[in-house]
Amino acid sequence: MLRFISFGSGSSGNCYYLYTETDSLLIDIGVGIRTLKKHFHNYGMQLKDIQHVLITHDHADHVKSVGSLSRDYGLDIYTTHRVHTGIDHNCCVRCKIAPERIKVIEKGKSFTLGSFEITPFGVPHDSTDNVGYSIVVGGITFCLMTDVGHITDEMKGYIGSANYLVIESNHDEDMVRQGPYPMYLKTRILGDTGHLSNNNCGLALAENATEKLKQVWLCHLSEENNHPELARKTVESVLRSYGIIVGKDFKLEVLKRRTPSEIYELK
């Protein structure tokens, strides 16, 4: 049985966990170690249960605690060379990853960690580098893509192959344009290396999801320029316009920014 938990999704800290009875994989560690330890305890688990760690990119809300987790629990950290360089240069990462714990992967080259078959792929964002992950376990394909400036042709293929998908639905475009952010920040968010809007998230799903898809989680919602119900309704509306009915064709849920999710069983 494959299970999934989100321990935080948004600019305040991102962390996702996939696990089976015998293996486990953490994706990003932008949540404080004490907080994460408390969350694990509440689920009857411990941080020492973590066996593998993947990182998507080097922004602080995804890597703040990566060095401390690696040091305290003897964990190797897997990501691209450019992301590792970005982490090393990130002043928000106070405890750096020890050289012997740095494991370099390449986009487009699949590799195996325990029972997880992993394929990293490029995701456009204004970080040093950014990768999404397609992860196969026991015939189930789980895919995560966050901090998405726009959907590339490569990403479309991974959406189409997913049984379970975590995808960014960061903002409502009108809220960004009409909001108080300075123009440079609005331009960054709305640009091709910024963040994915609710509408564009809905289009990505409508145009690329297949009958394989069982469940979608909307992630990395903006606190200032979005709302969980708005994100859900916008994505549902776009899907409906393509004849796709949420709840019938696949499930759709919104991950909370600071609150852990339930434990999802992926079958």
Side-chain angles (χ1 to χ4, degrees):
M1 176 71 71
L2 180 63
R3 295 180 173 89
F4 167 64
I5 303 173
S6 168
F7 288 112
S9 183
S11 57
S12 52
N14 299 270
C15 187
Y16 308 100
Y17 193 50
L18 279 176
Y19 65 105
T20 67
E21 296 296 332
T22 58
D23 213 346
S24 60
L25 175 66
L26 196 71
I27 306 175
D28 287 345
I29 176 63
V31 176
I33 294 295
R34 289 184 181 179
T35 298
L36 191 60
K37 186 179 293 187
K38 178 181 177 182
H39 291 333
F40 264 66
H41 176 76
N42 290 340
Y43 287 107
M45 302 184 296
Q46 301 179 65
L47 293 188
K48 68 179 183 180
D49 297 332
I50 300 169
Q51 297 182 40
H52 316 288
V53 180
L54 301 177
I55 297 297
T56 59
H57 64 289
D58 62 334
H59 284 170
D61 57 323
H62 294 260
V63 298
K64 178 176 67 176
S65 303
V66 65
S68 298
L69 185 76
S70 175
R71 177 198 63 196
D72 294 349
Y73 296 91
L75 290 166
D76 293 335
I77 307 299
Y78 291 80
T79 191
T80 67
H81 173 74
R82 290 177 63 203
V83 175
H84 273 302
T85 299
I87 292 171
D88 190 53
H89 293 165
N90 190 328
C91 61
C92 295
V93 183
R94 296 181 180 179
C95 178
K96 303 302 182 183
I97 304 169
E100 66 272 17
R101 293 299 180 186
I102 292 174
K103 304 300 177 183
V104 176
I105 62 176
E106 295 184 39
K107 287 178 281 190
K109 291 191 175 183
S110 300
F111 63 101
T112 300
L113 290 177
S115 57
F116 302 97
E117 298 175 22
I118 302 162
T119 305
F121 55 89
V123 175
H125 190 52
D126 59 358
S127 52
T128 304
D129 197 9
N130 189 20
V131 290
Y133 293 102
S134 178
I135 302 165
V136 179
V137 187
I140 297 170
T141 301
F142 175 94
C143 185
L144 183 143
M145 47 183 74
T146 185
D147 295 63
V148 180
H150 66 278
I151 301 293
T152 66
D153 288 341
E154 182 183 32
M155 292 166 68
K156 292 175 181 179
Y158 286 109
I159 293 172
S161 66
N163 302 123
Y164 297 92
L165 174 67
V166 177
I167 184 170
E168 180 175 59
S169 188
N170 177 260
H171 61 271
D172 175 82
E173 293 179 15
D174 288 339
M175 288 182 71
V176 175
R177 293 190 180 99
Q178 298 168 15
Y181 280 1
M183 185 53 65
Y184 82 89
L185 187 52
K186 293 181 180 183
T187 301
R188 172 188 176 261
I189 293 168
L190 297 171
D192 279 350
T193 56
H195 290 278
L196 199 65
S197 70
N198 297 334
N199 188 70
N200 287 336
C201 174
L203 287 172
L205 294 171
E207 295 174 354
N208 300 290
T210 68
E211 68 282 353
K212 297 178 183 178
L213 190 60
K214 297 181 179 181
Q215 184 156 356
V216 174
W217 293 273
L218 305 182
C219 75
H220 212 284
L221 273 66
S222 169
E223 191 166 31
E224 296 81 10
N225 299 302
N226 211 350
H227 185 275
E229 194 60 25
L230 176 60
R232 183 198 307 275
K233 286 183 176 180
T234 303
V235 171
E236 285 186 357
S237 178
V238 174
L239 291 170
R240 194 180 307 113
S241 72
Y242 280 73
I244 300 170
I245 307 302
V246 169
K248 177 182 177 183
D249 293 295
F250 54 79
K251 297 179 182 178
L252 178 71
E253 296 193 37
V254 180
L255 296 177
K256 296 180 180 179
R257 292 172 55 81
R258 298 179 179 85
T259 307
S261 70
E262 64 180 89
I263 299 175
Y264 296 99
E265 295 187 350
L266 315 186
K267 302 177 182 179

